[in-house]
Amino acid sequence: MTTFTGRGHGKLILSGEHAVVYGHPALAVAVDRGAEVSLRRIDGPTRTCAETLCDVRLTEALKAALEPTGWEVSVKSDLPIGRGMGSSAAIAVGLVRAQAAAAGETLDLQTVWERAFAAERAFHGTPSGLDQAVACRGGMLRYLKGPPPIFVDLPCPDQAIVVLDSGEAGDTAQLVAGVRARRPGIDPVLDAIGELVLRVEAALPDPAAVGPLLTENHALLQQIGVSNPMLDGLVQLALDHGAWGAKLAGAGGGGVVIALTAEPESLVEVARAHGVDAFVCQTMPGTTVP
Ligand code: PMV
């Protein structure tokens, strides 16, 4: 029986998370991990393929996005859930593309983004749209929240990024709400993050120059209250072992820390020796295929 598939990229935010919600730019890059969603016609009620997803909310969101009967949906993803790597956005984009394939539609990138963004609103409350933008476009992106949102595709350096997993999921909606509650007191820090994003962009593609700016970004994220001792410890671990720089990536409160270093594999080894789940991601050039 015919299966319709669609794929979305995973992402890492290099700079600008949280500030992007308040109109500052953010820089994010797609990585060589992602989610693939498959749809298969069946008789009877729509169901998810049992072994594909352990996240109940995601399973419900997928079923809600489909007709009540006639589909089996399955997901293959190598993105950790709730770690700031854009797992739900990649799945939303994969689903939009799989549905379009099933309907014989050809969608442009803007339409893929719009549909995936609508699905993510149900999931995350008030997302900026950044995750969906990278999930559908790939590559390196400067993003400015709308309306209308502005996407600027930047040259995507071929870069290894070390990901250090805190082992805990951060609740994006709750963290965004926490930041909102601390405004306007923290607005100068959000402004400083916005300025830093432009310095990071100017430093691309020299990772040795970008690194210290990431560490600076982490300090600002600490000031807006989204880091925690575990994440600070992972940043320090990376710096103690020769990284050019490191920061939490995503909403914080858990999730991952990213590090730029000349020796990615040896940092991964060190992290694992400390009991930290770590891996290397490679940046992914942008897609021109809708
Ligand atoms: O979903 P996460 O953890 O990658 O965080 C998204 C980044 C935020 O700026 C915190 C929220 C948003 O919608 O942009």
Side-chain angles (χ1 to χ4, degrees):
M1 188 169 288
T2 317
T3 301
F4 304 96
T5 57
R7 204 179 148 73
H9 300 282
K11 67 95 191 34
L12 291 166
I13 300 179
L14 285 187
S15 189
E17 49 272 270
H18 288 290
V20 69
V21 177
Y22 304 102
H24 294 288
L27 286 181
V29 68
V31 294
D32 56 350
R33 288 184 174 226
E36 188 177 275
V37 177
S38 300
L39 290 175
R40 195 168 68 88
R41 275 266 174 227
I42 55 163
D43 293 326
T46 292
R47 60 177 188 233
T48 51
C49 201
E51 67 277 12
T52 53
L53 283 171
C54 52
D55 187 290
V56 178
R57 283 197 310 167
L58 218 45
T59 306
E60 290 312 312
L62 279 171
K63 280 206 277 193
L66 290 162
E67 294 131 20
T69 57
W71 293 109
E72 182 184 74
V73 56
S74 60
V75 177
K76 277 191 224 148
S77 173
D78 53 5
L79 294 165
I81 293 174
R83 301 291 207 277
M85 292 193 67
S87 157
S88 59
I91 292 172
V93 165
L95 180 64
V96 166
R97 285 187 167 141
Q99 284 179 303
E105 277 183 290
T106 305
L107 303 181
D108 59 21
L109 286 170
Q110 179 66 21
T111 309
V112 176
W113 178 82
E114 278 165 15
R115 291 188 186 177
F117 189 35
E120 278 271 290
R121 268 210 203 95
F123 200 61
H124 271 326
T126 54
S128 64
L130 173 63
D131 282 21
Q132 298 71 34
V134 188
C136 69
R137 300 170 84 90
M140 175 81 78
L141 199 73
R142 181 185 345 115
Y143 179 79
L144 203 60
K145 190 180 153 182
I150 300 172
F151 313 95
V152 180
D153 294 309
L154 301 171
C156 184
D158 186 11
Q159 181 62 51
I161 300 176
V162 177
V163 178
L164 307 161
D165 190 342
S166 71
E168 291 162 14
D171 184 331
T172 300
Q174 202 182 321
L175 286 145
V176 169
V179 169
R180 176 163 291 128
R182 289 189 274 282
R183 295 186 68 209
I186 58 162
D187 282 358
V189 188
L190 296 172
D191 293 345
I193 293 174
E195 282 160 27
L196 187 59
V197 169
L198 302 178
R199 286 164 60 210
V200 172
E201 185 180 330
L204 294 171
D206 176 4
V210 172
L213 300 175
L214 300 192
T215 311
E216 214 178 295
N217 196 159
H218 184 76
L220 296 171
L221 290 164
Q222 282 176 318
Q223 289 176 40
I224 61 168
V226 298
S227 191
N228 63 24
M230 177 68 180
L231 296 169
D232 297 344
L234 292 177
V235 168
Q236 198 54 51
L237 179 79
L239 296 177
D240 288 348
H241 292 87
W244 291 307
K247 67 180 272 288
L248 73 83
V256 297
V257 159
I258 57 171
L260 291 176
T261 170
E263 313 251 6
E265 292 301 341
S266 71
L267 179 55
V268 165
E269 260 176 52
V270 166
R272 288 185 181 158
H274 282 77
V276 176
D277 187 13
F279 51 90
V280 178
C281 277
Q282 204 67 34
T283 53
M284 279 286 288
T287 177
T288 49
V289 182

